[in-house]
Amino acid sequence: MVRGSSPDIRLAARKEHSLALVAALKMWFEKQLSMISSGSTLAGDIRYALNHWQGLTRFLEDGRLELDPVENAIRPGCLIRKKCALRRA
């Protein structure tokens, strides 16, 4: 929605639209963590997200950060490596 806008505009939009959702997500994670088995894979995943919360929510503090999926930038190289590995086999 705000891609290509100035950092100030992006930050204002994120605070207006995302801040409450992110806060609710954190509360939901914490509640779910208290209700599921602490040894489950899901509990581990939730703990990982909560342990990295500051990094995950940094976009709410800095409008200069772009929210582009890094995975899309990495994927072509991974696919090429996989194809190359298959050809060598």
Side-chain angles (χ1 to χ4, degrees):
M1 186 168 90
V2 292
R3 180 172 283 153
S5 299
S6 73
D8 293 335
I9 292 172
R10 281 198 300 261
L11 185 58
R14 291 172 185 172
K15 287 187 177 190
E16 180 182 347
H17 299 287
S18 300
L19 189 60
L21 290 171
V22 169
L25 178 63
K26 185 175 184 184
M27 288 177 22
W28 186 82
F29 276 163
E30 291 167 343
K31 181 178 179 182
Q32 297 308 307
L33 195 56
S34 70
M35 296 178 1
I36 60 177
S37 171
S38 63
S40 71
T41 303
L42 180 58
D45 294 342
I46 292 173
R47 277 193 301 275
Y48 180 87
L50 291 172
N51 288 336
H52 292 86
W53 197 254
Q54 184 179 2
L56 292 171
T57 59
R58 188 157 297 152
F59 76 100
L60 295 170
E61 302 163 2
D62 190 345
R64 296 173 298 169
L65 298 175
E66 290 283 345
L67 295 181
D68 290 328
V70 175
E71 182 182 358
N72 288 335
I74 295 171
R75 187 177 296 130
C78 293
L79 290 175
I80 291 169
R81 278 197 305 269
K82 184 175 181 180
K83 287 179 183 177
C84 291
L86 290 174
R87 288 182 191 154
R88 287 186 215 138

